[in-house]
Amino acid sequence: VFNKLARCMRTVRSIARYLLGAGLIYAGIGHFTFSRLAFQAQVPPWVPMDPDFVVLASGAVEIALGLGLIFVSRYRKQVGWLTAAFFLAIFPGNISQYLTQTDAFGLNTDEARAIRLLFQPLLILWALWATGAWSKTKKRSY
């Protein structure tokens, strides 16, 4: 029974990892194409770089992380930690969107922007859980 449950859990984690990877690739493509202006609206005004550069760079990172989540099994936990760190790094943009009341992605009320803030920690947890990044690792003997 335990083996079946463990196999089922691995399958669910894999599906979650693939979905997160696909979502990141989709969002990353959006940074370069159909959502470029909306993403620029989320770059906080205090960031000392051109908003378009920030959007393009973060889009490239999202695509790379998405591909890593799907195709790089050897370093799955490391990619999970990097993905979680990325979600943490872009969180100030979401906070800025709320504080500056910037409309983007259909988030045109304070309530909608506040609800979105609640989902960022869930993305961090998703990345860590789906990759097994926070699970205990085997100690190496040297």
Side-chain angles (χ1 to χ4, degrees):
V1 173
F2 180 74
N3 286 337
K4 284 185 179 184
L5 182 60
R7 256 194 323 265
C8 180
M9 188 56 84
R10 278 194 302 273
T11 300
V12 170
R13 280 186 177 196
S14 292
I15 291 168
R17 191 178 72 255
Y18 293 141
L19 287 172
L20 184 58
L24 282 168
I25 293 167
Y26 178 79
I29 291 169
H31 279 67
F32 289 93
T33 57
F34 55 88
S35 295
R36 192 166 175 173
L37 290 176
F39 280 114
Q40 286 176 11
Q42 292 189 300
V43 177
W46 47 264
V47 172
M49 290 180 265
D50 176 53
D52 195 46
F53 170 78
V54 173
V55 167
L56 295 175
S58 60
V61 170
E62 281 186 325
I63 292 169
L65 289 170
L67 291 171
L69 287 168
I70 294 171
F71 297 111
V72 182
S73 61
R74 182 174 183 177
Y75 298 103
R76 181 174 298 143
K77 290 182 181 185
Q78 291 89 335
V79 173
W81 282 109
L82 288 171
T83 303
F86 175 77
F87 288 142
L88 185 61
I90 63 171
F91 194 48
N94 297 341
I95 294 170
S96 175
Q97 182 182 10
Y98 174 77
L99 294 175
T100 60
Q101 299 178 321
T102 303
D103 295 345
F105 299 109
L107 304 173
N108 53 10
T109 66
D110 285 342
E111 182 179 81
R113 289 183 285 268
I115 291 170
R116 180 177 184 211
L117 290 176
L118 300 175
F119 284 96
Q120 199 71 16
L122 295 177
L123 286 173
I124 293 168
L125 293 174
W126 184 357
L128 296 174
W129 178 79
T131 59
W134 68 30
S135 65
K136 294 181 181 180
T137 56
K138 296 179 184 176
K139 291 185 179 182
R140 295 182 184 183
S141 56
Y142 293 97

